[in-house]
Amino acid sequence: MTSTTFFRKPGGFFQSYRAALRQIRGIALLYTAILAVVLPLLMTLTVTQARSNFSYYSSEMPMEYYLSSQASSFLYSILSLFVLPLLWLFALIFTVSLFRYLHDKRSVDLFHSLPIRRETMLLSRLTAELTALVVPLLAMLIVCFAILLCFGIPMQAVQDGMLDPGLLWLRALFLIVNVFALIGLMIFFLICCGTVFDATVSTIAFCGGLPLLLALSLSYLGSALPGFCGSDLPRFVYEGMNPLIGAFSLANEPVVPWLLWWLGYGAVLLIAAVLLYRRRASEAAENAFAFPLPRVLIRFLVSACFGMCLGLLIHGIYSSFPFLLGALLGAFLSHLAIEMVYRRGVKNIWKTMPSLGVVAGLFVVFYLICATGCFGYTSRIPAVEDVKSVTFTTSFGQTHSASFFTGTPQSRNYYGMMEPIVTQKENVEQIVALHQDIIDSYHAMGPLYPMSEGSVFEVSYELKDGSKLRRRFYSAAFPEGFLQELDRISLLPEVIENTTDCFFLTQDSFDTVSFWNSKENDEYQSFTPNAEQRSALIEALQQDFLSGMPQSSQYDERWFEMTLSYQGDSSLPAFAAEDSLAASLFHFDPNASLYLDSGSYLISSQHYPNTTALLEKYGWIE
C-alpha cells in the first residue's frame, strides 16, 4: 500500500507545473491554432468584407464606426457561440490528460512515490491547464485589438453598437471564470471516481441531471400543486448550480456577482477535491469509486429524473393512470440501469435496494405535499384591505389590449401588454371572491387534489406592504359559472379603461383612418379627419368598449375593417398620465416618446353601434 503522506521539496510546484505543460504542449498548440483561425483570421476577413461593402449598406455612418459595429457583432457572437464550447472541449481534454494517472494503478503508484505533496501536484497541474487555456485566448484577443487599430477602428464605444473593449474583456473574463468552475467540477469527480469512465458519466449526469430534475419538478408542480406559478423559482437555481447551463444564458450579459459566484463555485470544489485527495488511497485506481458521495448523488439524480419523466409521460398519455405509480416504476428502472453502468453488470445489485427505497419514499412525500396543498400554499388568499391592486390574466385572450413601446418603429424598447388590473375595493372584492370559489372547488374534490390541466387563470396581488402573491389555476378545477363570472369582471369599466388601447389615444395619436369593406372586397379607402373628428372617433370607440367589450365582427352580415395610422405607420403615439396604472407598472422613460401598437378594428353596427353611427355621419362608410 502506498503512503498518503509526502515530503516537502522546495521548487516542487514549478517542476510539476513545467512537466504538466510539456505533457499537454501538443494539444495546447492545436488549441492555439484553432483560436488563431477563429479570432484574428476570421475577424480580419469580417472587417475587410465590411470595408468593401460599406458603400452599399451605410452612407450616413462614418466608416470607422461601421467597421467597429461589425467587429463588435462578430467578436461578441464568436465568444459565446464558438469560443465558449471550444474552451469546454479542451478543458475536458486537458483535465483527462493531466489527471488520468489517478485511474491507473501503475501510474498512481509512480506519481505518489515522487517527493511532492499531493495537493501541490494537483494545484500545479491545475495551474498548467489554466495557463494552456487562458494565455492563448488572451493573446489572440490582443492580436484582434491590434488588427482593429491597423484598420483605424476606435477603441471606445462612441455610440450604440460599436465595439466596447471593456465589455469585451468582461465577457472574456466571464468565460475564463466559468471554465475554471467547470474544471473544478471535473477534478472533483476525477478524485472521487476510480476510472475515467465513471468520472465522465458522473460529470455528465450531474450537469444534465440537476437542471432536468428542476425542470421536471416545476412541470409537475405546475399541474399537481394548485396555484403554483413556475416563475416562483429564482433564475439562480437553474443557472447557478451548473456551469454549462449558466454560461449559455449569461455569456451575453456578464455581471460582477456572477463572476464572483463562479470563482467561488470552482474554488469550493477544488478545496473539496484537495481534501479528498489527501485521503484517497492508491488502491482506488481502476475501481468504481474512491468515495461513495458521487454514486449516491448521481444515483439519486438519475432515478428522480427518469421517475419524474416517466410519471409525467404516462399521465400525459393516459390521465387516469396515477402519476405516483409511473414515477416509482421509472425510478426503479433507472436505478437498475445506473447501477449496472457503475458495477459493469448486475452482481450484488440487490444490495442497493435500500437506497431505492429512500428515493421511493421521497417521491411519496413529495406527492403528498403537492396533493394536499403544500401546507396551506394553495388556500392562501390575502384580505381585501391588504390589497393594493390585482392583476389577472387568462389564456382566452382579450381584444385590443394596449401594448406599449418607446423608441422608433425600427428600434423598439417594449414594455409589455397591459393586463386586466383593478384597484377599487369593490372590484378587488369580486376578484377575491372568484379566487375563493376556485379554492372551494378544490376542497370539494377530496383530501388529495388531482393533477390539473386546461386553460389558465392567473391572479397576482400587489399587497400594501410591497409584497406580491401570485397563483395560477387550470380550467379542470373551475367551478360552475366561473367563465361567465370572469367575463363579467373583464367588462368592469375600471378594467376596460386600464387595458384597452383606445383609452391611451388622443386626437394627435393618428392622422389617417382607413377602411376595407368586407362585402365589396375592394381596396382600402383612406380619410384624413380633422382634430374634432379624431376626438369624436376616440370617444365613440371608448363608449362602445365601456358598453360591453366588442367581440369580433367578422361573422356579422356586414362589417368594415378600420385601421388608424400616424404618418403612414400603425405605431401610434400614446399618452399615459404620470399617475396612471400603466405608468406605475411599466415606469416609462420620461425622455422617450411613448407608442402603442394598434390593431385593426372590425366594425359592425351590432358590436360597435356608436362608432358605426359616427362613421356613417361623416360619410366614411355607407
Side-chain angles (χ1 to χ4, degrees):
M1 176 177 176
T2 305
S3 173
T4 60
T5 304
F6 302 96
F7 299 100
R8 297 179 180 272
K9 180 180 179 181
F13 176 89
F14 294 102
Q15 291 176 354
S16 178
Y17 170 76
R18 289 192 294 269
L21 281 179
R22 287 195 299 270
Q23 181 180 341
I24 60 174
R25 60 187 174 186
I27 306 174
L29 287 174
L30 174 62
Y31 165 71
T32 304
I34 295 175
L35 280 180
V37 172
V38 170
L39 287 174
L41 179 59
L42 289 186
M43 199 203 65
T44 302
L45 297 177
T46 299
V47 176
T48 303
Q49 184 66 32
R51 192 171 188 175
S52 302
N53 298 337
F54 172 71
S55 59
Y56 299 102
Y57 293 101
S58 178
S59 57
E60 300 178 356
M61 183 186 301
M63 177 182 288
E64 59 270 20
Y65 289 5
Y66 176 71
L67 297 182
S68 177
S69 65
Q70 295 299 305
S72 172
S73 177
F74 168 77
L75 287 174
Y76 292 159
S77 300
I78 205 71
L79 284 178
S80 302
L81 301 179
F82 189 87
V83 174
L84 179 60
L86 185 70
L87 285 170
W88 288 344
L89 174 62
F90 278 90
L92 174 62
I93 296 173
F94 287 145
T95 303
V96 173
S97 298
L98 291 173
F99 294 94
R100 64 184 176 186
Y101 73 90
L102 293 169
H103 307 105
D104 183 85
K105 290 184 177 180
R106 293 184 178 181
S107 297
V108 76
D109 287 338
L110 173 62
F111 276 86
H112 287 175
S113 65
L114 298 175
I116 180 174
R117 295 182 64 87
R118 289 189 176 190
E119 55 267 32
T120 303
M121 183 181 298
L122 186 148
L123 294 176
S124 63
R125 288 178 167 262
L126 169 65
T127 306
E129 178 177 358
L130 291 175
T131 301
L133 286 170
V134 174
V135 171
L137 175 61
L138 297 181
M140 293 306 156
L141 288 176
I142 292 174
V143 172
C144 287
F145 280 112
I147 294 172
L148 294 178
L149 289 174
C150 292
F151 277 96
I153 297 176
M155 291 293 100
Q156 56 181 349
V158 179
Q159 61 185 38
D160 292 341
M162 292 183 61
L163 180 64
D164 185 345
L167 179 59
L168 183 65
W169 285 116
L170 182 62
R171 293 190 180 190
L173 179 60
F174 175 83
L175 301 187
I176 294 170
V177 174
N178 175 263
V179 170
F180 170 73
L182 181 61
I183 292 173
L185 182 64
M186 291 190 292
I187 292 177
F188 174 79
F189 280 113
L190 285 169
I191 295 295
C192 291
C193 299
T195 66
V196 174
F197 175 79
D198 290 331
T200 303
V201 170
S202 300
T203 304
I204 294 174
F206 177 81
C207 290
L210 187 59
L212 180 60
L213 179 59
L214 291 173
L216 292 172
S217 299
L218 281 180
S219 178
Y220 174 71
L221 285 171
S223 56
L225 178 59
F228 179 78
C229 290
S231 57
D232 288 346
L233 194 64
R235 177 182 174 184
F236 170 80
V237 177
Y238 286 109
E239 300 167 346
M241 297 292 104
N242 189 328
L244 302 181
I245 299 295
F248 270 124
S249 57
L250 295 168
N252 291 326
E253 47 175 331
V255 290
V256 174
W258 279 108
L259 294 175
L260 298 177
W261 167 256
W262 289 125
L263 189 63
Y265 183 97
V268 169
L269 287 172
L270 286 173
I271 292 173
V274 169
L275 295 176
L276 291 175
Y277 190 28
R278 287 179 175 179
R279 302 179 56 187
R280 190 180 193 270
S282 298
E283 290 80 2
E286 300 182 14
N287 291 324
F289 282 93
F291 301 97
L293 177 61
R295 175 185 291 180
V296 174
L297 177 63
I298 301 306
R299 186 168 53 199
F300 171 77
L301 283 177
V302 173
S303 299
C305 283
F306 193 75
M308 193 75 71
C309 184
L310 187 62
L312 290 173
L313 179 62
I314 295 177
H315 182 79
I317 296 174
Y318 186 65
S319 58
S320 299
F321 192 89
F323 164 82
L324 183 59
L325 185 58
L328 294 177
L329 176 62
F332 173 73
L333 295 176
S334 58
H335 175 87
L336 294 180
I338 193 66
E339 283 298 328
M340 288 180 186
V341 170
Y342 281 143
R343 294 174 179 271
R344 314 294 192 270
V346 297
K347 185 178 180 180
N348 294 328
I349 201 171
W350 60 270
K351 294 182 178 179
T352 65
M353 289 300 112
S355 62
L356 175 61
V358 173
V359 175
L362 291 175
F363 264 120
V364 173
V365 172
F366 185 49
Y367 168 78
L368 291 176
I369 289 175
C370 294
T372 55
C374 191
F375 310 107
Y377 175 91
T378 298
S379 302
R380 186 190 172 195
I381 300 179
V384 175
E385 56 271 15
D386 296 333
V387 177
K388 180 180 179 181
S389 65
V390 185
T391 303
F392 61 95
T393 59
T394 72
S395 56
F396 305 104
Q398 186 183 7
T399 305
H400 282 279
S401 294
S403 179
F404 297 102
F405 69 92
T406 55
T408 65
Q410 292 75 30
S411 178
R412 301 181 176 185
N413 176 28
Y414 273 103
Y415 287 97
M417 182 179 294
M418 282 295 295
E419 297 175 343
I421 183 171
V422 297
T423 58
Q424 299 173 8
K425 183 178 180 180
E426 59 273 17
N427 295 335
V428 172
E429 289 176 347
Q430 297 184 55
I431 298 293
V432 170
L434 193 65
H435 187 174
Q436 184 63 56
D437 289 342
I438 298 177
I439 302 303
D440 294 340
S441 176
Y442 273 106
H443 290 166
M445 294 179 181
L448 298 179
Y449 303 146
M451 294 180 68
S452 304
E453 54 189 14
S455 302
V456 175
F457 169 72
E458 185 173 320
V459 59
S460 177
Y461 299 92
E462 183 179 359
L463 305 182
K464 294 179 180 178
D465 61 3
S467 61
K468 290 187 177 182
L469 187 145
R470 295 179 58 199
R471 294 294 183 265
R472 180 183 298 161
F473 302 98
Y474 293 89
S475 57
F478 289 172
E480 185 178 354
F482 173 84
L483 295 180
Q484 291 77 5
E485 182 65 14
L486 182 61
D487 287 340
R488 187 189 64 78
I489 293 177
S490 298
L491 295 178
L492 292 172
E494 182 186 16
V495 174
I496 294 175
E497 292 175 358
N498 288 329
T499 59
T500 310
D501 54 7
C502 63
F503 287 88
F504 298 94
L505 298 177
T506 67
Q507 64 180 19
D508 299 322
S509 297
F510 61 98
D511 53 22
T512 304
V513 184
S514 302
F515 297 93
W516 178 76
N517 192 328
S518 63
K519 280 292 186 182
E520 300 178 5
N521 197 23
D522 56 4
E523 298 292 331
Y524 274 91
Q525 294 184 348
S526 299
F527 301 90
T528 305
N530 56 38
E532 181 181 353
Q533 291 173 328
R534 294 196 297 268
S535 297
L537 179 57
I538 294 173
E539 183 178 353
L541 284 171
Q542 292 175 352
Q543 289 176 355
D544 285 331
F545 276 92
L546 287 173
S547 62
M549 185 70 71
Q551 304 298 317
S552 175
S553 305
Q554 58 184 333
Y555 299 109
D556 295 348
E557 182 178 352
R558 177 175 175 270
W559 56 273
F560 296 85
E561 181 180 5
M562 182 180 73
T563 304
L564 307 180
S565 60
Y566 178 74
Q567 296 182 356
D569 194 274
S570 60
S571 301
L572 308 181
F575 172 77
E578 293 183 1
D579 58 349
S580 65
L581 283 174
S584 63
L585 287 174
F586 295 125
H587 305 289
F588 299 127
D589 183 356
N591 300 319
S593 299
L594 182 65
Y595 296 88
L596 59 80
D597 282 324
S598 177
S600 299
Y601 297 87
L602 303 184
I603 304 296
S604 71
S605 58
Q606 178 180 353
H607 291 101
Y608 289 83
N610 296 290
T611 305
T612 302
L614 182 69
L615 298 178
E616 291 176 345
K617 173 184 174 182
Y618 291 150
W620 294 345
I621 63 174
E622 298 179 357

